[in-house]
């Protein structure tokens, strides 16, 4: 319960509310490199970081080109972009669940981690309209930031300023 009160969206909720909500959180341990949410899937749960770290990566197409007289030749390739690392008390999965959309990024544990997991249905039904609204606003801001970062990285890669790997070197995405 103390952990839940440390989540910014829940920080001002009553102890009774937090106590009632705590029954819907499941403690979960994940291994390093474990995929929590796969890009293109709608998550089944919201994950709240307790210990450890996760990384958000997004696979996206970019156009690369070279000039071969008399015209440029462009090639469309797919690359993996490293968006951000997250730790406690961050959460992931809520944007896709609240918007009813597929996840635009993959979430991978970069360390052995401890999380709290709340199912999609419990998150939608048990948190209440006020709290869902606060989660939605916070999730939308994070999502917009990460998508703007992805677009910027794609533009830099297209211009040859950065060269993202075709696969992330530190881990293999397991499906």
């Amino acid at each position: 319960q103390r952990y839940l009160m440390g989540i910014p969206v829940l920080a001002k909720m009553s102890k009774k509310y937090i106590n009632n909500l705590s029954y819907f959180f499941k403690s979960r341990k994940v291994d390093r490199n474990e995929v929590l949410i796969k890009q293109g899937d709608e998550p089944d749960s919201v994950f709240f970081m307790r210990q450890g770290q996760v990384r958000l990566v997004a696979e996206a197409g970019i156009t690369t080109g070279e000039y071969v007289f008399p015209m440029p030749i462009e090639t469309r390739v797919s690359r993996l972009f490293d968006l951000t690392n997250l730790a406690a008390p961050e959460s992931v999965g809520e944007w896709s669940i609240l918007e009813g959309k597929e996840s635009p990024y993959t979430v991978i544990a970069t360390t052995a981690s401890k999380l709290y997991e709340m199912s999609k249905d419990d998150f939608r039904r048990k948190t209440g309209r006020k709290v869902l609204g606060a989660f939605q606003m916070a999730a939308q801001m994070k999502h917009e930031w990460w998508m703007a970062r992805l677009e910027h990285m794609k533009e830099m890669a297209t211009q040859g300023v950065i060269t993202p790997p075709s696969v992330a070197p530190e881990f293999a995405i397991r499906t």
Side-chain angles (χ1 to χ4, degrees):
Q1 293 175 358
R2 188 174 302 150
Y3 167 79
L4 296 178
M5 294 182 94
I7 297 170
V9 171
L10 300 176
K12 295 187 179 185
M13 297 292 123
S14 71
K15 288 183 181 182
K16 182 179 178 182
Y17 175 85
I18 296 293
N19 187 46
N20 290 337
L21 196 61
S22 68
Y23 293 106
F24 302 100
F25 284 85
K26 294 178 197 163
S27 184
R28 180 169 168 192
K29 292 180 181 181
V30 296
D31 295 326
R32 182 178 187 268
N33 292 339
E34 188 171 332
V35 175
L36 300 173
I37 301 170
K38 189 174 176 190
Q39 183 175 348
D41 291 348
E42 186 175 336
D44 294 325
S45 301
V46 176
F47 298 96
F48 296 86
M49 299 297 302
R50 185 170 173 213
Q51 287 180 329
Q53 278 193 327
V54 297
R55 174 177 289 161
L56 275 62
V57 295
E59 187 173 345
I62 62 169
T63 303
T64 62
E66 59 182 304
Y67 187 79
V68 177
F69 185 79
M71 65 167 65
I73 298 174
E74 292 186 343
T75 307
R76 188 87 174 148
V77 295
S78 185
R79 294 289 185 252
L80 199 60
F81 293 90
D82 195 351
L83 298 178
T84 192
N85 289 318
L86 300 175
E90 290 286 348
S91 56
V92 292
E94 67 273 30
W95 180 84
S96 293
I97 288 172
L98 291 169
E99 295 295 323
K101 295 184 177 178
E102 299 171 344
S103 178
Y105 34 75
T106 295
V107 180
I108 304 163
T110 55
T111 63
S113 300
K114 292 180 182 177
L115 316 164
Y116 285 115
E117 180 178 6
M118 181 181 248
S119 75
K120 172 175 39 178
D121 292 336
D122 286 343
F123 183 68
R124 286 181 178 152
R125 294 181 187 144
K126 306 296 182 184
T127 52
R129 210 171 14 176
K130 180 180 175 183
V131 174
L132 277 179
F135 269 114
Q136 188 155 21
M137 187 169 66
Q140 186 65 34
M141 288 178 11
K142 291 190 300 186
H143 172 75
E144 288 175 7
W145 168 254
W146 295 331
M147 294 300 94
R149 179 171 167 80
L150 176 60
E151 288 305 312
H152 178 69
M153 292 171 78
K154 284 171 45 180
E155 181 64 28
M156 289 175 52
T158 298
Q159 295 174 5
V161 177
I162 63 170
T163 307
S166 56
V167 293
E170 302 89 43
F171 54 84
I173 297 177
R174 296 184 301 195
T175 55

